[in-house]
Amino acid sequence: MMASIRRRAASISLIIGLFVFWEVAVMAFGISSLILPRPSEILSTLYARGPAIWPHAKQTLYTTLMGFSIGVMIGLSLGTLIGSSRLAYDTAYPLLVGISSIPKVAVVPIFVLWFGAGTVPAILTAMIICIFPIVVNVATGLATVEPELEDVMKSMKASKLDILWNVALPRAMPYFFASLKVSVTLAFVGSVVAETVASNRGVGNMMMIASASFNVPLVFAGLFVLATMGVSLYVIFSLIERRVVGWAMRKDGAV
Amino acid sequence: MMLSPQTLKTPLIQFEGVAVDYGRGPDRVRALEPTSLAVSEGDFVALVGPSGCGKSTLLKLAAELLQPSAGFILFGGRELGAKPVRVGMAFQSSTLLPWMTIRDNVMLPLKIVPPFRQHYRAKRRGEYRDKVDALLAQVGLRDFADSYPWQLSGGMMQRANLCRALIHEPDLLLLDEPFGALDQFTREELWGTLQELWMATTTTVILVTHDLREAAYLANRICVMSPRPGRILEDRVVSFERPRTVEMTYEPDFVSTIQHLRSMIVHSPKESPK
């Protein structure tokens, strides 16, 4: 208990320390707020422009979560398919690696071409960027069932579906949740990139316009908003993970 | 091969000239020489022999996890696989599922194996739960039904593992070195538990083990196998009275049985690979 408080205290003081250092350094070296605004400036901008920022934040959160949800559904089904069938693995994996190695920024113009600028390309970009980690993790979790456990199940004449449902999928859940935490932050990257390139709404678009008019504190305020949303979602999924697959993290005493 | 008294009754499971090869073509490796073995109903047979001699292969054949390359296997006089055989299996690693309580782990076969699975939804909170709890109580795990596997010691996990292999009242219990990873004292304790469980049921057991004392303590019959490719060198009846105790394993008769088995294995002919 004491140890965990001390650990947490250390990480909190590092974050606070970083901001203090930033504030002091900017003042000490007289850096213009056109280049690097002070944290206090950014916070006051956040407060003053809050009502204007809020719709953008809502839009970004919406496209991210939509893309993420669709991505999770597709990723989970693809991962299950690939992880439980050798044939599907051999057939689909090379294609999947190929698709995942394309920089996702590069597909935004295509989505814009197909669906026009706005919400849809942002959702699709968020979706496509978060599928791959989920597929790989779920497939790995499914494919690494201990052979002895499989023998026990097969000796009971369990069907493939029985094994998948009772053993393989629950066993893959820790992998799945680990990938969710990665994917949800990646989904933000996807939606913000798409908003920056082609949208008239969203935090990405707001930062784009702010930087064009040299409103640098607002650009940084956008960054803060993104960081806050990203961290919040990460924390939410960590908490869900703890509840659902606590059995895999017994060292923390969570059951 | 020698005829033991058991082979004269109608055997429950019968291996006839069963051989197993792994791989194909020039990479073909023979894992099991043509072997014949008959196990009658309610019997307890131990397979002993050096590592890699095909003991586990025989178990996998009985569980239909492997198909023989030659020969055939009869179950109750009919070809194995003709009708479903209820099999319980336990390995050295307990393979209990970490996200389930001990009770749910032991109940798993009732969810999978017919005819239990047809009534699983209706009975899992009533009849099945009582059945599992009774079996857990029998092996001294009554108070651990709601614990998770990682909260248990290795010996307790193997007790639960035995329960999982027995809960669906299998015709055939196949044990592959179930106590191999346990310390001496825990192992001896579990011999007693297994003997009790076996004496209380009519289950036929085939046990694979490296431990000759374990084989002689538990089994009615011990089959000694040769090094790879395996075949049965000797089929020996162990007629010490039951229930057997750990003290008995230090008596002269018992010790000489073990010494005989040991010399069979140590001096078994080393065959050149074909």
Side-chain angles (χ1 to χ4, degrees):
Chain A
M1 195 63 199
M2 271 316 287
S4 88
I5 290 173
R6 199 173 307 153
R7 245 173 40 210
R8 201 155 291 172
S11 75
I12 289 172
S13 44
L14 176 68
I15 294 169
I16 294 174
L18 180 74
F19 282 113
V20 170
F21 172 75
W22 178 352
E23 182 90 30
V24 171
V26 169
M27 285 198 290
F29 295 107
I31 299 170
S32 154
S33 74
L34 273 180
I35 296 179
L36 185 64
R38 280 176 288 120
S40 56
E41 240 176 312
I42 296 168
L43 283 176
S44 68
T45 309
L46 256 182
Y47 182 74
R49 304 286 298 269
I53 296 173
W54 175 238
H56 291 294
K58 233 167 45 181
Q59 167 73 9
T60 300
L61 193 64
Y62 168 73
T63 53
T64 302
L65 287 182
M66 277 298 283
F68 175 68
S69 315
I70 302 170
V72 168
M73 279 188 274
I74 296 176
L76 191 56
S77 352
L78 264 182
T80 306
L81 186 70
I82 287 177
S84 50
S85 150
R86 188 78 224 171
L87 181 70
Y89 183 91
D90 291 340
T91 312
Y93 204 74
L95 180 66
L96 212 66
V97 173
I99 291 175
S100 82
S101 64
I102 299 171
K104 300 304 172 298
V105 198
V107 296
V108 179
I110 299 172
F111 287 146
V112 173
L113 196 67
W114 288 346
F115 303 102
T119 307
V120 180
I123 292 177
L124 289 180
T125 314
M127 177 198 86
I128 204 166
I129 208 169
C130 67
I131 288 179
F132 191 68
I134 299 175
V135 171
V136 171
N137 274 278
V138 171
T140 309
L142 291 180
T144 52
V145 172
E146 300 90 333
E148 288 181 338
L149 184 54
E150 223 173 325
D151 280 354
V152 168
M153 294 300 288
K154 281 186 185 157
S155 75
M156 297 180 209
K157 316 286 183 292
S159 66
K160 277 207 142 188
L161 197 66
D162 282 335
I163 298 180
L164 182 70
W165 194 249
N166 289 295
V167 176
L169 271 181
R171 210 185 144 282
M173 282 302 112
Y175 294 86
F176 174 60
F177 275 98
S179 71
L180 283 192
K181 288 192 293 189
V182 176
S183 285
V184 79
T185 39
L186 281 180
F188 266 110
V189 175
S191 58
V192 171
V193 162
E195 283 166 1
T196 311
V197 177
S199 180
N200 46 10
R201 276 195 297 171
V203 178
N205 173 253
M206 180 193 86
M207 287 166 67
M208 202 53 193
I209 293 171
S211 75
S213 58
F214 291 101
N215 189 348
V216 183
L218 187 59
V219 176
F220 275 87
L223 272 187
F224 270 39
V225 169
L226 288 177
T228 310
M229 289 197 291
V231 170
S232 311
L233 285 179
Y234 185 93
V235 169
I236 288 171
F237 280 103
S238 298
L239 290 176
I240 299 176
E241 179 184 29
R242 234 163 224 263
R243 279 205 76 94
V244 180
V245 293
W247 54 267
M249 300 182 282
R250 58 196 171 220
K251 286 202 187 78
D252 293 347
V255 177
Chain B
M1 110 142 223
M2 296 171 61
L3 274 183
S4 70
Q6 274 78 4
T7 50
L8 301 176
K9 288 189 261 168
T10 320
L12 180 79
I13 187 162
Q14 192 173 1
F15 300 85
E16 276 299 328
V18 171
V20 174
D21 299 318
Y22 289 122
R24 291 225 170 94
D27 300 328
R28 221 173 154 85
V29 179
R30 175 141 280 196
L32 190 68
E33 283 286 293
T35 300
S36 296
L37 172 71
V39 180
S40 51
E41 191 159 356
D43 209 349
F44 196 133
V45 175
L47 299 173
V48 298
S51 344
C53 71
K55 304 178 299 252
S56 302
T57 305
L58 265 176
L59 276 199
K60 285 189 173 167
L61 285 167
E64 295 175 72
L65 299 172
L66 266 182
Q67 293 299 317
S69 314
F72 55 91
I73 306 168
L74 298 177
F75 188 90
R78 296 168 67 186
E79 200 177 336
L80 186 66
K83 60 172 185 147
V85 178
R86 230 185 279 165
V87 171
M89 228 177 169
F91 291 94
Q92 178 169 336
S93 66
S94 70
T95 65
L96 296 171
L97 306 177
W99 58 90
M100 286 185 185
T101 61
I102 295 300
R103 180 186 290 117
D104 290 342
N105 263 294
V106 174
M107 212 185 280
L108 184 67
L110 302 180
K111 195 175 176 184
I112 306 281
V113 178
F116 299 102
R117 71 180 290 160
Q118 281 83 343
H119 310 290
Y120 179 75
R121 274 171 176 279
K123 295 185 176 173
R124 68 184 158 143
R125 295 190 201 285
E127 192 186 323
Y128 287 179
R129 189 190 156 103
D130 296 342
K131 190 178 160 77
V132 169
D133 286 0
L135 188 58
L136 284 174
Q138 220 176 324
V139 300
L141 289 179
R142 187 209 306 265
D143 299 331
F144 295 90
D146 293 309
S147 304
Y148 286 84
W150 53 270
Q151 294 171 314
L152 269 57
S153 68
M156 289 157 107
M157 281 203 253
Q158 278 307 3
R159 284 169 198 270
N161 195 14
L162 282 180
C163 289
R164 185 178 66 181
L166 279 168
I167 191 70
H168 53 300
E169 298 158 27
D171 303 311
L172 199 54
L173 177 61
L174 304 171
L175 303 173
D176 195 345
E177 294 181 43
F179 313 131
L182 303 175
D183 64 274
Q184 186 71 30
F185 295 110
T186 312
R187 194 181 305 172
E188 286 169 358
E189 239 177 80
L190 274 150
W191 295 349
T193 308
L194 178 56
Q195 175 175 248
E196 255 171 59
L197 286 170
W198 175 72
M199 287 173 76
T201 59
T202 53
T203 305
T204 312
V205 187
I206 305 180
L207 166 77
V208 162
T209 181
H210 279 125
D211 186 338
L212 297 173
R213 272 178 74 226
E214 178 172 302
Y217 178 110
L218 283 167
N220 287 342
R221 259 170 84 198
I222 298 177
C223 298
V224 181
M225 294 185 70
S226 72
R228 190 164 210 163
R231 60 199 173 79
I232 294 175
L233 292 174
E234 185 172 305
D235 189 340
R236 189 186 173 99
V237 175
V238 189
S239 49
F240 303 112
E241 64 181 83
R242 292 192 191 263
R244 297 175 188 161
T245 58
V246 174
E247 286 69 39
M248 282 168 71
T249 65
Y250 297 104
E251 283 169 16
D253 279 2
F254 198 100
V255 172
S256 75
T257 301
I258 289 171
Q259 270 166 353
H260 172 76
L261 291 172
R262 187 177 173 279
S263 68
M264 291 280 320
I265 292 171
V266 174
H267 302 298
S268 64
K270 300 267 190 297
E271 286 174 51
S272 56
K274 285 171 191 165

